[in-house]
Amino acid sequence: MSQISLTFPDGNKRDFTTGVTPAEVAAAISTSLAKKAISATVNGAHWDLQWPIPADATIAIHTMQDEAQALELIRHDLAHIMARAVQEIWPDVKVTIGPVRDYGWFYDFDRAEPFTPEDLGQIEARMKQIINAREPVKTEVWDRARAVEYYRGKGEPFKLELLDRIPEDQDIRMYWHGDWQDLCRGPHLQHTGQVPADAFKLTHVAGAYWLGDATRPMLQRIYGVAFRNRDDLKAHLTMLEEAAKRDHRKLGREMDLFHLQEEAPGMVFWHPNGWTVYRTLEDYMRKRLRQADYKEIKTPQVVDRVLWEKSGHWEAYRENMFIVEVDEEGAKEKRINALKPMNCPCHVQVYNQGLKSYRDLPLRLAEFGSCHRYESSGSMHGLMRVRGFTQDDAHIFCTEDQIEAECAGFIGLLSSVYRDLGFEKFDIKLSTRPDVRVGSDEIWDKAENALQKAIESLGLPYEINPGDGAFYGPKLDFKLTDAIGREWQCGTFQADFNLPVRLDAEYVGEDGAKHRPVMLHRAVLGSFERFIGILIENYAGKLPFWLAPRQVVVASIVSDADAYVHEVVATLKAAGIRAEADTRNEKINYKVREHSVGKVPVILAIGMKEVEDRSVSVRRLGETRTETVALDQIIPQLAKEGQMP
């Protein structure tokens, strides 16, 4: 029989019979490894222990100690086990698909009756029975005709449609968890008992259209979370409880910041308090950009399709664009425009006005640009995912030699901004050239090397994300970590050699000839709407004093103090502090509770003693104690706290 050579992570090689499985490889190494093995990585692909290896390859055997692979398998197996449990309890339910997602999985079901919280408990109990039975997981590759006949016989129309979507040159792989079967690419664990029975939980049910198409049937999606052990599950559930308390939609109502409504789906109605936060953050970013030598511009929101065709967005992004048709006077046909989904093509138009020299570069053009993108109704979520938003967008036009310096300057700006806003930790991923791309390998080498050198020159750790760059160039993605450990993708820095060519951007070089500039796309916050949502949740509504919409409330204890209350408010406002009076005929404890719910950082209580002493009683948000401070002492103190970083 023919032989193949397998190379292990330590560089050692061993010969095996062609078609050997990773399970057999593990057994050949040691009995203990064979017992612990859960999967393998073969030539970079995650590989089921049962799959044969057809040719020479690199191989690594995984155990439950390998977190990424273990979690993928646990969550994937639980999706199948849950679907099996559902069909065992309700045999008439039709199954569809159940992919792994962050922290867990979901599975979509076609069932006439809605699932209830009691149903989820029943499903969980049945899943644990299946896990404890330690039933084997098996896999086979079937021909298409056999698979079609099988699912027709079982009356599973969704599986039949999935079969039609599998390309002819791809295997049709079947998996069994015990006697229950599903169409699946795998890999999976080797028996149900390898899934930790005390480390998962079904969380909720939501509606979902079949294949995300609003014209298709509405299904029921059951979500679950899973980890390698009970402690990790408990920590995650605690984090979810904390996240629910910090939900920006709930806090947005309590703080009277914004609302959304059906007449303008995905568009934010900012209330005075919320708009104060928005404008304060915008003023802060404007100051930082001015210090970094950016030139602020403003470009149109409605732009003719001709520009979007030139830029390539009409072909690649049209389904996410809002189209605007206008009957131009005297025109034979309607003029087709689009609300801009991004600012890049318009920024090139500004750059193209007038001849540019190499002496003008780098040219940094910034815009707080309003954009509109179509998002499905099911994907929208408060401020975090909307249809109308504003980006702290900028594009840097530079030479190839300037990429490294501009990248380093941007990372320095981003680091400083994140620190000012309370985020000390962020991760960087360098996404390199994808298989489908434009530009020569030489240009990609320059761009990737420049980004890599810039990160390393700052001494910052980063990860390589191979093949995930944009089609026009490599990019850096910045993920910040909030107060409860969640990661948020916000900042980005992308090197683009393509759009300047498509939109004919040029500069005159030192040699007197015309050259194409490099276009660097960059954002620090990303979307203002989303970043404000992140800030609200990070601080649980208790925004830093300089950013808080209502900084100080001056509350009277007795009506005789009202005149002094208004004098204090006027003095605070004159010092640049956002202050308001509360002279309602309510008890002071009621006022304090109400304004604490509204997350007002400082409450100044005033009674007759404070009037006589020209002082105030200071209570800060989250503290139970109060202190009496002279008015002429607290004013400069609060004014200093209110200064923008």
Side-chain angles (χ1 to χ4, degrees), residues 34-80:
K35 291 179 179 178
K36 295 177 182 177
I38 58 171
S39 66
T41 292
V42 176
N43 286 339
H46 201 187
W47 208 264
D48 195 295
L49 290 180
Q50 301 177 49
W51 297 349
I53 304 172
D56 293 352
T58 59
I59 185 171
I61 304 295
H62 301 302
T63 69
M64 281 294 178
Q65 298 304 309
D66 297 306
E67 184 176 21
Q69 291 79 11
L71 287 176
E72 178 187 342
L73 294 177
I74 288 168
R75 291 162 180 170
H76 200 173
D77 277 59
L78 280 165
H80 282 222

Side-chain angles (χ1 to χ4, degrees), residues 32 43 69 96 105 134 197 261 295 317 354 443 521 552 576:
S32 62
N43 286 339
Q69 291 79 11
T96 62
W105 78 93
R134 301 177 63 84
Q261 63 187 63
K295 312 298 182 186
Y317 206 74
I443 287 176
H521 307 245
V552 179

Side-chain angles (χ1 to χ4, degrees), residues 427-441:
D427 296 319
I428 304 176
K429 290 195 174 182
L430 170 58
S431 298
T432 59
R433 68 196 74 184
D435 292 335
V436 179
R437 60 183 182 271
V438 296
S440 67
D441 285 341

Side-chain angles (χ1 to χ4, degrees), residues 328-352:
E328 293 279 7
E329 185 177 353
K332 295 181 180 179
E333 58 184 27
K334 291 183 178 181
R335 184 169 184 172
I336 300 177
N337 303 282
L339 285 172
K340 65 177 180 183
M342 52 199 70
N343 304 297
C344 337
C346 291
H347 285 203
V348 181
Q349 306 314 300
V350 174
Y351 174 88
N352 283 347

Side-chain angles (χ1 to χ4, degrees), residues 117 124-125 132 168 296:
E124 274 191 16
N132 292 332
E168 291 291 336
E296 187 175 345

